Amino acid sequence: MTRQKRLQDRQKEKIRKIEYQYIKWDEYDYSILNNILAKNTNGKGRHRNYNDAFIMLDTETSKKEISPVPKDNHVCAFTISIRSENHNICTLYGARPDDCIDCVNRIVKALPGNTTYIYIHNLAYDWTFLYRFMIDAWGYPSKQLNIKPLYPLVIEFEDPNIILKDSYILAQRSLDKWSKDMSVDHQKACGKWDYDKIRDQSGNFSPDELEYIEHDTLAGVECLDTLK
C-alpha cells in the first residue's frame, strides 16, 4: 500500500467519524467540510478537481395568501444534505431563498475541490424559484442542457464552479418510490407537510415539518450513494 493510499484511507475513516448534524444553515461549522476529499477527473478536454460528496438541495414553496386571484408561490423552506464515504455529514435548513444561496456559497468555500455537484430532484421546479437569486449571486450559467425549453437537466456556473444536476432523470421515479426501491435508511416523510397551509419565511417549523424537509434531501443523497 502506497503512502498516498494510506493517507486517503485515514482521511476516509475520519470522514466516517463525523457526527451527523441537522441544523439551521447559519449555525453550522462549515470547516467540518474541509475533511471531504477531492478527486481528479478528465473528460471532453476538461480537467475537474471535484468534491467527492453527494449533495442534494430541495425547496418547499407556499402560496402567498388565500385569494380567488392566482398568486405566485414563494420559497418558504430549503434543505441541503451532504453525504460522503457512505456517511451522512449534515442537513442544513432555512427558509429564505437568499439564505439558500448564502448556504451554498459557504459549502463551496469550505470544500477542498474546485468543482461542486449539487443534485436537485426535479431541477426544473426549484430552478423556477431560485434562478433569480443564483444569477444575482453567480451570474448567468456558462452552460445549460435542457430536454425542453423550460426543463433543464444540467446547469453550470463558472464562479463558483457549481454544476446543478437533475436527480429525477437518474431515478426516473418520485423520491418516495426511489427511496423505497433503494431501501435507504431515510424515507420520504409523506403526510407531514400540509401543502394547503399558507407559510411565510420566518423559518418557524413544527417537528413534523422539520422531519419532512430533512428527509427529502437526506433520502436523496442516500439514494444517489446507493445508485453509485
Side-chain angles (χ1 to χ4, degrees):
M1 182 181 294
T2 65
R3 181 176 181 275
Q4 183 178 7
K5 181 65 167 56
R6 286 197 300 271
L7 290 173
Q8 285 184 342
D9 288 347
R10 289 175 188 168
Q11 189 62 27
K12 289 178 180 180
E13 185 60 30
K14 186 176 180 181
I15 292 168
R16 295 186 193 105
K17 290 180 179 179
I18 295 173
E19 184 178 355
Y20 170 75
Q21 294 183 66
Y22 180 35
I23 187 171
K24 194 168 179 292
W25 74 276
D26 56 355
E27 297 175 359
Y28 185 62
D29 178 6
Y30 289 84
S31 67
I32 293 170
L33 303 180
N34 297 160
N35 294 295
I36 290 174
L37 295 169
K39 289 190 174 181
N40 296 318
T41 183
N42 293 294
K44 296 183 180 180
R46 298 184 67 181
H47 169 77
R48 292 193 191 278
N49 174 247
Y50 69 94
N51 294 301
D52 190 20
F54 291 108
I55 304 174
M56 182 170 280
L57 183 156
D58 184 55
T59 63
E60 298 297 338
T61 61
S62 170
K63 299 173 183 177
K64 292 185 184 300
E65 60 185 64
I66 300 175
S67 170
V69 180
K71 292 182 179 292
D72 293 337
N73 287 14
H74 63 277
V75 172
C76 62
F78 71 86
T79 51
I80 301 175
S81 290
I82 303 174
R83 180 178 173 89
S84 182
E85 300 302 330
N86 307 117
H87 176 70
N88 294 324
I89 305 296
C90 63
T91 297
L92 311 176
Y93 74 90
R96 297 170 55 90
D98 52 337
D99 289 342
C100 179
I101 304 305
D102 196 355
C103 180
V104 171
N105 284 335
R106 295 190 192 193
I107 290 169
V108 171
K109 185 177 180 180
L111 290 169
N114 60 27
T115 302
T116 303
Y117 291 90
I118 299 176
Y119 290 87
I120 299 177
H121 209 67
N122 193 4
L123 173 59
Y125 182 81
D126 297 79
W127 176 243
T128 300
F129 297 96
L130 294 176
Y131 77 91
R132 288 172 293 175
F133 299 91
M134 290 181 172
I135 289 171
D136 283 347
W138 308 327
Y140 285 93
S142 58
K143 186 181 293 185
Q144 186 167 328
L145 174 64
N146 288 36
I147 56 171
K148 299 176 184 178
L150 299 177
Y151 202 105
L153 297 182
V154 181
I155 301 171
E156 297 190 25
F157 294 91
E158 283 191 353
D159 187 19
N161 195 349
I162 293 172
I163 301 175
L164 306 177
K165 302 187 77 172
D166 187 359
S167 55
Y168 184 83
I169 201 68
L170 296 174
Q172 292 292 303
R173 71 204 87 171
S174 68
L175 183 61
D176 181 29
K177 189 172 189 312
W178 196 24
S179 59
K180 288 176 180 175
D181 289 348
M182 291 292 185
S183 299
V184 293
D185 291 337
H186 294 85
Q187 300 288 311
K188 187 174 174 68
C190 295
K192 296 200 172 185
W193 184 273
D194 181 1
Y195 281 94
D196 293 324
K197 180 179 176 180
I198 304 300
R199 293 179 171 86
D200 57 22
Q201 295 177 330
S202 64
N204 295 321
F205 302 114
S206 70
D208 277 354
E209 290 169 340
L210 283 170
E211 181 181 348
Y212 181 89
I213 60 176
E214 177 191 21
H215 282 219
D216 264 8
T217 50
L218 200 53
V221 294
E222 290 176 354
C223 285
L224 287 165
D225 202 359
T226 302
L227 184 66
K228 180 192 71 172

